[in-house]
Amino acid sequence: MKEYNVIIIGGGAAGFFSAINIAEQNPDLKVAVLERGSEVLTKVKVSGGGRCNVTHAEFMPQELVKNYPRGEKELRGPFHQFMTGDTIEWFENRGVPLKIEDDGRMFPESNSSQTIIDCFLGEAEKHGVEVLKNHAVKSIKHLEAHYKIETTQGDFSAEKIVIATGSNPKIWKLLESLGHTVAQPVPSLFTFNIKDDRITDIPGVVALNVEVTVVDTNLWSEGPLLITHWGMSAPAILKLSAFGAIELAKRDYKFAIEVNFIRQDFDTCLDALKTLKLDLAKKTVFKSTQFDLPKRLWHKLVLASQMTEDTRWADLNKMQLEALAGQLTAATFHVDGKSTFKEEFVTAGGVNLKEVNFKTFESKKHESLYFAGEVLNIDAVTGGFNFQNAWTSGFIVAKAITGLG
């Protein structure tokens, strides 16, 4: 049996960040990472379209936590310990400067996730962390003063263990056998499948500032909306899918949404249309795009409002004006299924947060058992927030294990 002071189960972002910081803070500890696959850091590689969205330029903990549908309350304290600025400094100190994009997402200046991977592999080697691939964990037993870990390539012993396996159902089952409860995993961060004449033939069109509501719920979000070949995407939809992950799963991803394309109420919009009817009397409605909407989207909404391409503003009757106001401020679309957002599959679910001490990320059920990253029931909207949770939890775990916490 191979013996270590600390074993990290999971060779992803949270696992490597934990391992490197533990080994750096206390070089006397013998540290190993067990990875079930033949490659490590696979999610880091594909993140941000291969550029790795390391974090987000939000520097206030109370604002940062609002991006976590699950974990908002629990992460408030940890973010005061290790925050976005600390992440930037950590990478810069190791030769990886980050840059901020217009939407707040932060990437390595190299624009390549390989920079992050090379940094982690280099730091792990420098600090003597053993990285053991193709080691799938079969069982975890808590004995008196240590843990016994059975893998497909032999048994290991460790005084302390860190679980950083992300959304791995097999590990969740092992944790349940240790007495932990796991919130049933459901997909988060997905796009909506919608078949509707109003959005067919216009993929790539973006409405920059919409409000989307799930009918008959309190779920809503705002932001840009992208029309795709299969339906709708972009932040307004992705945020809704994250905050509504559990409710939308219950509905088997069949539900109605209401889209306010112009962020005005119906009456305000109707008054504006009545003014346009007078001001643009001789022009056709079809060719007179309004409210800063993309031209192709305006065309679709006009045709859905009992008009033709030749209908002039002067000829609009009350019913047509109200129909157009309705399409602009409360267009109903029927969602029938979901699609994964790029390769960045995120799951809502994981270890019950009440069973974790968030000052150290240690299990309340087993001493010297720690968690980092998405193995917990914590997930975020898109934009670098899931990685920030990985860095924060990994750093705090390291401090707790090395006695610096």
Side-chain angles (χ1 to χ4, degrees):
M1 188 184 297
K2 292 185 181 174
E3 295 183 3
Y4 292 86
N5 298 110
V6 186
I7 284 179
I8 291 93
I9 301 173
F16 263 83
F17 206 73
S18 303
I20 291 163
N21 283 290
I22 290 165
E24 186 178 47
Q25 290 170 22
N26 187 344
D28 294 332
L29 295 177
K30 194 178 177 189
V31 180
V33 173
L34 301 182
E35 165 57 41
R36 65 175 171 161
S38 57
E39 294 293 325
V40 293
L41 300 164
T42 51
K43 203 166 180 182
V44 170
K45 193 173 186 66
V46 298
S47 156
R51 295 194 297 143
C52 191
N53 185 183
V54 176
T55 186
H56 200 95
E58 174 52 72
F59 299 97
M60 303 292 288
Q62 61 269 35
E63 292 301 316
L64 184 62
V65 293
K66 291 177 183 173
N67 295 285
Y68 296 82
R70 284 147 291 276
E72 177 180 349
K73 180 166 63 79
E74 289 80 6
L75 287 175
R76 205 166 287 143
F79 281 155
H80 278 90
Q81 283 193 60
F82 192 88
M83 186 59 181
T84 314
D86 301 302
T87 299
I88 296 165
E89 185 181 13
W90 193 94
F91 282 103
E92 286 195 345
N93 286 345
R94 289 155 184 83
V96 184
L98 306 181
K99 61 174 181 175
I100 303 172
E101 304 216 327
D102 290 344
D103 59 5
R105 291 182 303 161
M106 297 194 70
F107 295 89
E109 282 185 1
S110 66
N111 267 335
S112 171
S113 57
Q114 195 60 44
T115 310
I116 304 297
I117 293 169
D118 291 345
C119 170
F120 282 165
L121 294 177
E123 288 293 312
E125 188 178 359
K126 176 180 165 187
H127 296 292
V129 175
E130 285 187 53
V131 179
L132 305 171
K133 301 172 191 172
N134 298 307
H135 280 64
V137 172
K138 293 159 70 177
S139 73
I140 302 169
K141 293 193 175 99
H142 189 186
L143 306 176
E144 276 185 25
H146 69 280
Y147 286 86
K148 182 187 173 186
I149 302 161
E150 185 190 353
T151 81
T152 48
Q153 296 206 42
D155 295 352
F156 294 80
S157 165
E159 295 158 17
K160 298 175 190 287
I161 60 171
V162 182
I163 312 291
T165 45
S167 305
N168 182 334
K170 287 181 179 171
I171 298 297
W172 280 332
K173 277 209 160 39
L174 293 183
L175 290 170
E176 284 178 329
S177 73
L178 288 169
H180 274 287
T181 49
V182 173
Q184 189 62 35
V186 295
S188 179
L189 282 192
F190 49 84
T191 60
F192 293 174
N193 295 352
I194 299 168
K195 285 183 180 167
D196 192 293
D197 287 344
R198 289 166 293 177
I199 60 171
T200 49
D201 309 323
I202 57 168
V205 166
V206 177
L208 283 174
N209 190 16
V210 308
E211 190 171 293
V212 188
T213 307
V214 177
V215 176
D216 296 328
T217 73
N218 294 323
L219 293 168
W220 71 278
S221 73
E222 58 191 354
L225 181 147
L226 168 69
I227 292 165
T228 67
H229 288 286
W230 59 88
M232 292 180 180
S233 183
I237 298 299
L238 295 169
K239 278 194 278 186
L240 199 55
S241 77
F243 281 91
I246 294 164
E247 179 61 36
L248 301 182
K250 282 181 194 166
R251 293 168 183 242
D252 196 26
Y253 308 105
K254 294 178 185 355
F255 53 93
I257 57 170
E258 199 174 88
V259 182
N260 186 333
F261 286 106
I262 61 172
R263 303 290 299 276
Q264 288 185 13
D265 63 51
F266 177 87
D267 290 336
T268 305
C269 176
L270 188 58
D271 288 342
L273 292 176
K274 285 175 181 174
T275 303
L276 290 167
K277 176 178 157 76
L278 299 173
D279 293 348
L280 303 174
K282 293 181 180 177
K283 295 187 175 177
T284 64
V285 182
F286 187 83
K287 288 184 178 172
S288 314
T289 307
Q290 299 296 319
F291 304 104
D292 294 324
L293 283 179
K295 191 183 293 183
R296 289 194 293 162
L297 177 59
W298 172 262
H299 290 168
K300 289 281 190 178
L301 297 179
V302 167
L303 295 177
S305 305
Q306 303 165 38
M307 299 179 215
T308 68
E309 290 186 22
D310 301 321
T311 306
R312 296 186 312 156
W313 283 97
D315 300 331
L316 289 182
N317 60 36
K318 180 172 182 279
M319 195 177 294
Q320 289 169 315
L321 283 167
E322 289 180 350
L324 183 54
Q327 291 293 339
L328 291 166
T329 63
T332 301
F333 295 89
H334 292 279
V335 178
D336 185 10
K338 60 175 176 53
S339 295
T340 303
F341 175 61
K342 297 183 180 173
E343 303 92 343
E344 297 172 49
F345 188 76
V346 173
T347 302
V351 174
N352 187 323
L353 303 185
K354 291 193 169 85
E355 298 169 5
V356 180
N357 173 1
F358 281 91
K359 288 180 179 168
T360 58
F361 283 81
E362 187 177 17
S363 162
K364 288 180 179 176
K365 303 216 170 243
H366 293 274
E367 201 176 338
S368 302
L369 168 63
Y370 297 83
F371 301 104
E374 289 177 47
V375 67
L376 294 169
N377 187 20
I378 292 176
D379 62 286
V381 300
T382 184
F385 301 105
N386 281 303
F387 274 141
Q388 184 56 52
N389 169 43
W391 316 140
T392 295
S393 53
F395 189 82
I396 292 172
V397 162
K399 277 175 67 181
I401 285 175
T402 58
L404 296 177

